[in-house]
Amino acid sequence: MKRSTLLLLLLTLTTSSLMAQRKVTFAVDAGVDYSSFLMNTPGKEKARTPLCLSPSLTGRIDLKLGNSGYYLSSGLSYYAPRSSQDLSIDQAAALKKAGLNIDLSRLGAIEERMTTHYLSIPLLFGNRAAISEDGKFSLACELGVRFSIGLGGSLSYTLYEGNRNKFGEASTPIFSSGTNGSSGSGRGNGSTLFLPVNIAAHGGLRAEYSRYYLRIGVDHGLTRVNRYPEGSRVTILSLSTTLGVRF
């Protein structure tokens, strides 16, 4: 107990000392992501879902390296890539073969919606350069990786007749097993659709004025997120725009 108390006290004093020297700064930013799911088929054909808007929130810790403008950045981030698109009748027929109960004779349109929720830890290396003589205005660029774990989400379908009257729905969780909905869906074998872990390359640019900044970033998935290897290899692309404040 005494050792834990001493370690906590030492950590507190070290952090306080670094903050006093402006070696460590904290920041919080919030904004929106424009996300798309990228698909590469075995035939090398590429496709993507339309860009969809979703919220994001990040808490950051920056550690300045020496007296230079270089720093290391990490923290905790929430983001929620999603998609919404209409599928063709041919795609609906393929979904029926996969187990989705669809009456193709009534079908006029089918809407697919995918929603995911991720918690991530970015590990970034950055460089900040002052633009104005007083140092209040600066630009910073960052490169690194982001490790994410899926918290939840769903893949759902809405079925319409030719006159856009809804006659059925189906949904299944993304990261956990089970199905629900009036039409039924999913593999029904207790497995998940998406792998829970996603790793992405990340790049960002900050325009800072005093404590406040505008940040633009991009994440490009390095790992396949869909569990089943047959068909397309799915990765995630996210473009983010956030406003933040440093403390």
Side-chain angles (χ1 to χ4, degrees), residues 70-242:
Y70 295 102
Y71 61 92
L72 297 176
S73 181
S74 187
L76 199 61
S77 177
Y78 163 79
Y79 71 116
R82 62 185 63 185
S83 69
S84 178
Q85 61 180 339
D86 289 336
L87 302 183
S88 67
I89 301 300
D90 291 340
Q91 290 171 305
L95 290 172
K96 183 175 182 178
K97 291 181 180 179
L100 186 65
N101 184 20
I102 300 175
D103 183 357
L104 294 178
S105 64
R106 297 179 60 190
L107 187 65
I110 179 168
E111 180 185 16
E112 178 189 71
R113 297 180 305 278
M114 188 187 305
T115 302
T116 59
H117 303 278
Y118 283 95
L119 193 64
S120 68
I121 298 177
L123 297 176
L124 308 175
F125 176 74
N127 182 32
R128 181 179 291 109
I131 302 300
S132 62
E133 292 185 1
D134 59 7
K136 286 188 175 182
F137 182 61
S138 62
L139 291 176
C141 60
E142 301 170 340
L143 291 173
V145 294
R146 185 153 81 166
F147 300 91
S148 304
I149 184 167
L151 302 178
S154 64
L155 177 65
S156 60
Y157 300 92
T158 302
L159 313 179
Y160 298 94
E161 294 178 322
N163 54 5
R164 294 297 290 190
N165 287 330
K166 183 172 68 175
F167 72 88
E169 291 183 322
S171 67
T172 186
I174 289 286
F175 298 111
S176 60
S177 60
T179 61
N180 59 75
S182 59
S183 299
S185 66
R187 294 175 176 264
N189 58 2
S191 55
T192 62
L193 296 177
F194 272 18
L195 297 166
V197 176
N198 180 38
I199 302 174
H202 180 85
L205 181 66
R206 289 196 220 181
E208 305 181 352
Y209 181 77
S210 186
R211 297 166 49 207
Y212 305 97
Y213 61 87
L214 169 68
R215 190 177 191 281
I216 299 173
V218 59
D219 285 278
H220 195 293
L222 300 175
T223 56
R224 173 174 55 88
V225 296
N226 53 321
R227 178 175 294 276
Y228 303 101
E230 68 269 18
S232 300
R233 178 181 185 269
V234 180
T235 56
I236 300 175
L237 173 69
S238 291
L239 309 173
S240 59
T241 303
T242 59

Side-chain angles (χ1 to χ4, degrees), residues 28-42:
V28 176
D29 61 53
V32 294
D33 288 357
Y34 297 89
S35 301
S36 176
F37 294 87
L38 309 180
M39 292 160 283
N40 293 325
T41 66

